[in-house]
Amino acid sequence: MDFDMGKRASDLRRELRQLVDDHVPEHFLGAFTDDPADLATAQAFCRILAERNLLCLAWPPEFGGGGASVWEQTVVREEMWAHHEPRGAQYMGVNWVGPIIMRHGTEEQQRRHLPPIAAGEVIWCQGFSEPEAGSDLASLRTHARPAEDGSGGWLVSGQKIWTSYATMAQWCFLLARTSRGDKKQQGLTIFLVPMDDPAITVRPIDCMMGPHHLNEVFFDDLRVTEADVLGSVDQGWSIVQDVMAFERVGIARYARCERLLAAAPTVLGERWDMLPDELRGRWIRMLTHCRRARLMAYRVVAQQSSGRVTPGDAAAYRIAVTTLDQDSAEVLMDIAAEVERSQPRAAWFLGEVEDHWRYSQASTVSSGSIEMQRILLSRSMLKGASR
């Protein structure tokens, strides 16, 4: 089954691939490596996209976007992820921080935060998960208590963990408890806070994905005000649900899987026909799963654009694409073992496959574990069956 997005989308895809060829080194494996030049490459590439009005292509023009369709933005998402996300951490601001501020932010918050995101000038991190509240996010302990000096506002104290990009981010999308309610989802508030505040401490966590992916963040009486609140005080959980819907469909993981799988026969050359039938059968199965995940993503994108996406829809896609990430990585590692290093693109392929395998190990945990996605999907199906 093919899904034709139209001529504009096809032209855009060609333009993006040419920009990547022209401005991103062939062996680029993302911005989050030990080499500072990789982050510099990503930041420069973001500025190039912004100058061409491609960074926030589907944003409304009044917010610095191109006013394009969600399908054109989907093309951007696919091409960026297929090429190791040369936007670096900017995808977070583009995919969900910006759209959430458009939906829930004040005019002042929109004026302050949206132009820098659209220009590719700012990096955000997400202050959600905690040591005792990962998949069960509503059980978080980071709290904001009213300031007692009469100045108004709150003092935030607590700890976040697994916070990607915290060492490089200028702003944090922070979730904290401001009151207690009958349900743990009540009494939560979103704050938009600058990461250079001295009350914030960041400690990197070493991991096999490389630097910047995992960090601990500590808040020691961080002062926040009404102006920092996104939405309404104590009503942050509804915003969190919006965030999850945007975030879980925002990364086109299937695009990188498909690109690497499609490259395998060319890289192996004559050795491809010598592979065991079982391995080539698994390769074909993964290509089929890539198409399945792509079409599931398109379904959610279509629903999201009409404002009717449900947690179950996003969860079903997330389950499909994260298991694809891991299963395809295993197949690709087995294929990579057969590559002759003298082949012209052997070094590129082996580096890409190893990086893909390392990154895939966390895919069924990050942004909500696969177990939680299955629970969300089950609840959605049971709710639908009871109607």
Side-chain angles (χ1 to χ4, degrees):
M1 180 184 292
D2 289 318
F3 192 101
D4 185 2
M5 294 185 182
K7 184 177 185 302
R8 289 181 62 183
S10 298
D11 291 344
L12 173 62
R13 198 179 294 277
R14 282 193 295 271
E15 180 182 3
L16 290 167
R17 290 179 180 179
Q18 188 61 55
L19 286 173
V20 171
D21 287 343
D22 292 343
H23 300 285
V24 180
E26 182 182 26
H27 295 284
F28 177 80
L29 292 177
F32 317 119
T33 70
D34 292 312
D35 187 351
D38 289 327
L39 178 58
T41 293
Q43 295 297 84
F45 191 71
C46 278
R47 290 191 291 271
I48 291 170
L49 292 178
E51 289 167 1
R52 292 172 174 260
N53 216 13
L54 294 174
L55 185 61
C56 298
L57 187 62
W59 283 20
E62 61 267 29
F63 294 128
S69 71
V70 293
W71 299 111
E72 289 170 276
Q73 187 64 48
T74 299
V75 169
V76 175
R77 185 180 296 145
E78 290 176 346
E79 291 304 314
M80 293 301 98
W81 197 254
H83 294 87
H84 278 275
E85 192 52 82
R87 296 174 299 178
Q90 298 291 346
Y91 75 88
M92 186 179 291
V94 173
N95 286 351
W96 67 263
V97 175
I100 292 297
I101 292 175
M102 290 178 209
R103 285 191 176 194
H104 302 281
T106 63
E107 289 187 10
E108 173 57 31
Q109 289 171 337
Q110 291 170 354
R111 284 194 299 268
R112 182 175 191 180
H113 295 296
L114 296 180
I117 296 176
E121 296 172 349
V122 63
I123 294 174
W124 283 76
C125 64
Q126 181 191 66
F128 276 18
S129 293
E130 300 185 4
E132 302 298 328
S135 297
D136 186 14
L137 180 58
S139 295
L140 61 83
R141 297 182 180 181
T142 296
H143 63 281
R145 69 181 191 279
E148 298 176 355
D149 58 5
S151 61
W154 300 265
L155 298 175
V156 180
S157 295
Q159 176 189 359
K160 299 294 179 177
I161 198 168
W162 318 129
T163 310
S164 298
Y165 326 128
T167 53
M168 62 175 68
Q170 290 84 43
W171 286 89
C172 180
F173 195 95
L174 175 64
L175 182 66
R177 182 166 298 284
T178 43
S179 70
R180 296 283 177 182
D182 294 334
K183 297 181 178 179
K184 58 186 176 182
Q185 290 84 0
Q186 297 172 338
L188 300 175
T189 302
I190 299 287
F191 297 100
L192 309 178
V193 300
M195 287 296 291
D196 61 357
D197 193 294
I200 300 176
T201 302
V202 179
R203 296 179 187 169
I205 300 174
D206 290 335
C207 72
M208 67 180 180
M209 292 188 294
H212 305 298
H213 282 284
L214 302 179
N215 302 276
E216 294 177 291
V217 184
F218 299 88
F219 303 89
D220 185 12
D221 282 353
L222 170 68
R223 184 175 292 275
V224 294
T225 68
E226 289 280 357
D228 303 315
V229 175
L230 183 68
S232 302
V233 175
D234 292 341
Q235 303 300 315
W237 191 250
S238 61
I239 298 179
V240 170
Q241 291 178 308
D242 263 1
V243 169
M244 296 304 182
F246 276 97
E247 182 183 28
R248 286 170 181 163
V249 74
I251 298 178
R253 294 174 181 269
Y254 55 84
R256 186 181 301 174
C257 299
E258 190 167 4
R259 178 172 179 245
L260 292 177
L261 288 163
T266 301
V267 173
L268 266 70
E270 294 180 355
R271 290 184 62 84
W272 179 255
D273 293 331
M274 301 168 58
L275 291 182
D277 291 341
E278 183 270 342
L279 180 53
R280 283 192 291 169
R282 289 165 59 204
W283 173 79
I284 293 171
R285 190 178 305 117
M286 287 303 102
L287 285 171
T288 304
H289 289 184
C290 284
R291 182 55 57 91
R292 177 184 66 180
R294 181 186 294 271
L295 293 176
M296 290 179 73
Y298 290 174
R299 179 187 180 197
V300 177
V301 169
Q303 292 174 333
Q304 198 173 68
S305 64
S306 64
R308 58 187 180 89
V309 66
T310 69
D313 295 319
Y317 164 70
R318 182 75 181 179
I319 293 167
V321 79
T322 54
T323 53
L324 166 66
D325 227 20
Q326 292 183 345
D327 293 345
S328 67
E330 295 298 330
V331 173
L332 285 163
M333 287 291 280
D334 288 345
I335 292 174
E338 303 296 328
V339 173
E340 290 185 349
R341 295 183 179 272
S342 59
Q343 287 289 93
R345 303 203 70 195
W348 167 81
F349 184 74
L350 294 173
E352 292 260 349
V353 169
E354 180 187 350
D355 184 79
H356 174 57
W357 182 88
R358 285 191 287 109
Y359 195 89
S360 73
Q361 301 310 298
S363 62
T364 53
V365 177
S366 60
S367 300
S369 69
I370 194 170
E371 290 80 9
M372 291 302 297
Q373 304 308 314
R374 287 168 176 155
I375 290 172
L376 287 171
L377 178 58
S378 299
R379 287 174 177 170
S380 177
M381 294 175 69
L382 288 171
K383 185 176 180 180
S386 64
R387 289 176 182 174

